[in-house]
Amino acid sequence: MKVPDMRILLVAYDYPPLNSPQAIRWYYLSRELVHLGVEMHVLAPDIPARDGNSLDIPSGVTMHRCDAGGLAGWLARRQQARPLATVLAPQQSHIGEATHVGSTTLNWKGRLHHWLERCLSHWVYPDSRGQWRAPASAALDELIETIRPDVLISSHEPAVTLQLGLQVAGRVQAWFADLGDPVLAGYTPRRWHRRASELEAQVCRVATAVSVTTASTRELLMARYDTMDPSKIFTISQGFDDTVSPTIDSAQKSHPGELRLLYTGRFYPFRDPTALLEAVLELKQIWLTIAAPEVRPEYLAYAARSGGRIVFLGEQPHAKVLKLQQECDVLVNIGNALSAQIPGKLYEYLGSGKPILHCHSVEDDPAVSLLDEWRRGWSCANDLPSLRIFLTTLVEAPERLYALLTDDSCTASAYGWSNLARCLLARCQQVTQVEGT
């Protein structure tokens, strides 16, 4: 399907070369929209990525960069002014090898940067990234006049992109607010609750369409704003790269008597790996590799006591993460202690073809029902006794658990990025046709 007449402008704070979860989401969606014939433009701050962890800009996307403003803008300008240093290529690392690439803890400069950001976040909404609003506003005004997009999309988080969308909503044919999570979420600082609630309500009222990543989040917003047209809010979940076709692994492939686990992603206050680390420390047949940035020292202490069975690789390039997923026996996902959210990594895991172990922290975790539907993994409570029993069974009697899985890929295909982009484009076509009549 080709749609040569569709022009989309995406406003995104996180976009390649950054390697964040939101940047990865829009890397794939914008790439697939270009493949569908969309003229794709992106407005993003001029922020350099960390060496070795950057994503490529998708071919065919037209980038428009502007100053990030405030502290981030000053740091970016300072970094660009320095001469390029020679960077040694990182060593290759494989599952179970104690090779550390990237950072697991911050140096003094990183700690100072985080401290300054926390200070700014007490004064700037929604946090220090809100300083992008002034330079982005000027750039967006000019782009709307020159590009004249059919659809403007605001990629949340951070909420500054929603503020920018509200400023120009009356000047574009259609404005999509890609919320992902609610603006007022469980992790929103208390000092910003009222402001987040007001912004969320305004976005739901003004936006042409609102997209979220889970059905639970859609239900939550519909309950908060019961006068909102249900057809206005729809779900575009996280996804996986369906341009590659991994072999579905529904049989145990581990070394005899051993089990190789892999966790890739981030740790938050509402996503706690302590029970998993303690269970692996107890069970000598299990190895756990973790690819995560800026790991807390108390988590690193488990690795020091594990005799090499718990390995932290630090932050890894996205392509390397996908390769690591192909080398393990079981992928581990730790659920959020927030019932309306599903970690995006769960969908990325789905595309690997490997079995998934989801550790749920709340009883109404929507990821549990998803895994039941997919039959591509198992769910277990995120506590030490439950994980101890489950992992012991997985090592000693794996046939009992692997028999529950299926190698049917039809259910998973709905979550491929190419299909999700087609759904998004269909909604763009629908709203522009309605607005144009």
Side-chain angles (χ1 to χ4, degrees):
M1 178 175 63
K2 296 292 183 181
V3 189
D5 296 330
M6 179 65 67
R7 185 179 298 113
I8 294 177
L9 172 58
L10 168 68
V11 180
Y13 191 94
D14 281 15
Y15 192 79
L18 298 183
N19 194 35
S20 68
Q22 197 69 355
I24 292 172
R25 172 179 174 83
W26 277 104
Y27 165 81
Y28 284 113
L29 283 175
S30 59
R31 184 192 73 177
E32 296 304 318
L33 287 170
V34 168
H35 290 167
L36 293 170
V38 170
E39 182 183 327
M40 192 77 202
H41 295 260
V42 178
L43 172 62
D46 190 9
I47 300 176
R50 294 181 181 178
D51 292 333
N53 289 322
S54 59
L55 279 172
D56 293 331
I57 305 296
S59 177
V61 172
T62 302
M63 287 300 308
H64 306 272
R65 299 282 184 183
C66 68
D67 190 88
L71 177 62
W74 178 81
L75 289 172
R77 292 191 299 274
R78 187 170 181 269
Q79 181 171 337
Q80 291 164 358
R82 291 201 302 262
L84 292 177
T86 301
V87 180
L88 296 177
Q91 298 179 8
Q92 295 298 313
S93 60
H94 299 277
I95 292 293
E97 294 183 3
T99 301
H100 293 253
V101 183
S103 64
T104 51
T105 56
L106 294 174
N107 60 20
W108 72 269
K109 291 182 180 179
R111 292 194 297 271
L112 175 61
H113 185 196
H114 274 216
W115 180 80
L116 290 171
E117 285 191 330
R118 286 197 301 270
C119 291
L120 286 169
S121 297
H122 281 275
W123 301 99
V124 180
Y125 177 78
D127 50 41
S128 62
R129 295 171 294 179
Q131 295 177 299
W132 186 49
R133 184 175 180 180
S137 179
L140 184 57
D141 284 341
E142 183 177 348
L143 284 175
I144 287 176
E145 292 301 318
T146 56
I147 294 174
R148 298 193 177 278
D150 300 301
V151 177
L152 174 72
I153 300 178
S154 293
S155 170
H156 170 258
E157 295 179 348
V160 63
T161 62
L162 302 176
Q163 294 172 316
L164 292 166
L166 282 167
Q167 289 176 202
V168 299
R171 297 168 53 196
V172 293
Q173 188 173 355
W175 172 42
F176 270 49
D178 183 43
L179 287 189
D181 295 339
V183 183
L184 178 58
Y187 51 81
T188 303
R190 182 172 296 277
R191 65 182 176 277
W192 296 131
H193 275 199
R194 185 176 72 174
R195 190 157 182 181
S197 178
E198 291 172 351
L199 177 60
E200 181 181 275
Q202 193 174 9
V203 168
C204 289
R205 183 175 67 253
V206 175
T208 311
V210 174
S211 56
V212 294
T213 53
T214 69
S216 299
T217 300
R218 183 180 184 276
E219 292 170 3
L220 174 64
L221 292 179
M222 290 301 303
R224 286 181 180 176
Y225 312 106
D226 54 6
T227 59
M228 185 169 61
D229 183 355
S231 66
K232 187 175 185 175
I233 181 168
F234 65 105
T235 302
I236 298 287
S237 72
Q238 299 288 53
F240 66 89
D241 187 0
D242 51 354
T243 62
V244 296
S245 301
T247 302
I248 305 302
D249 187 359
S250 59
Q252 190 183 30
K253 301 293 183 182
S254 64
H255 300 78
E258 293 183 358
L259 186 68
R260 305 278 173 155
L261 306 179
L262 174 69
Y263 176 89
T264 66
R266 296 168 183 264
F267 296 130
Y268 299 103
F270 50 83
R271 191 182 298 168
D272 188 354
T274 302
L276 174 66
L277 293 168
E278 290 181 348
V280 173
L281 202 61
E282 285 188 11
L283 303 172
K284 304 304 182 184
Q285 312 98 314
I286 297 179
W287 299 67
L288 171 64
T289 300
I290 295 175
E294 300 168 9
V295 176
R296 290 163 56 178
E298 54 264 41
Y299 299 157
L300 295 176
Y302 286 96
R305 296 159 50 199
S306 70
R309 292 187 301 105
I310 298 177
V311 177
F312 288 91
L313 296 181
E315 186 173 11
Q316 298 290 304
H318 181 59
K320 180 61 181 294
V321 168
L322 298 181
K323 184 174 185 295
L324 289 170
Q325 290 173 3
Q326 293 296 318
E327 296 173 352
C328 72
D329 297 322
V330 174
L331 290 160
V332 180
N333 188 65
I334 299 176
N336 295 338
L338 305 164
S339 59
Q341 298 169 328
I342 298 176
K345 283 293 176 181
L346 188 67
Y347 298 92
E348 185 176 284
Y349 285 176
L350 181 63
S352 73
K354 294 287 183 174
I356 303 167
L357 169 58
H358 175 67
C359 308
H360 59 85
S361 302
V362 292
E363 290 299 324
D364 54 349
D365 186 336
V368 174
S369 59
L370 268 183
L371 276 178
D372 289 343
E373 174 191 341
W374 295 343
R375 292 184 60 199
R376 297 284 284 276
W378 316 278
S379 297
C380 176
N382 189 28
D383 59 64
L384 179 57
S386 300
L387 281 166
R388 182 191 295 123
I389 293 170
F390 185 90
L391 291 174
T392 299
T393 304
L394 195 53
V395 172
E396 296 179 354
E399 64 282 353
R400 291 171 50 190
L401 296 172
Y402 278 81
L404 303 174
L405 307 185
T406 179
D407 58 3
D408 180 13
S409 60
C410 293
T411 302
S413 64
Y415 302 95
W417 284 119
S418 63
N419 181 66
L420 295 171
R422 283 192 293 270
C423 294
L424 177 58
L425 179 56
R427 187 59 68 107
C428 288
Q429 291 173 305
Q430 178 185 19
V431 296
T432 52
Q433 288 170 0
V434 170
E435 294 293 320
T437 57

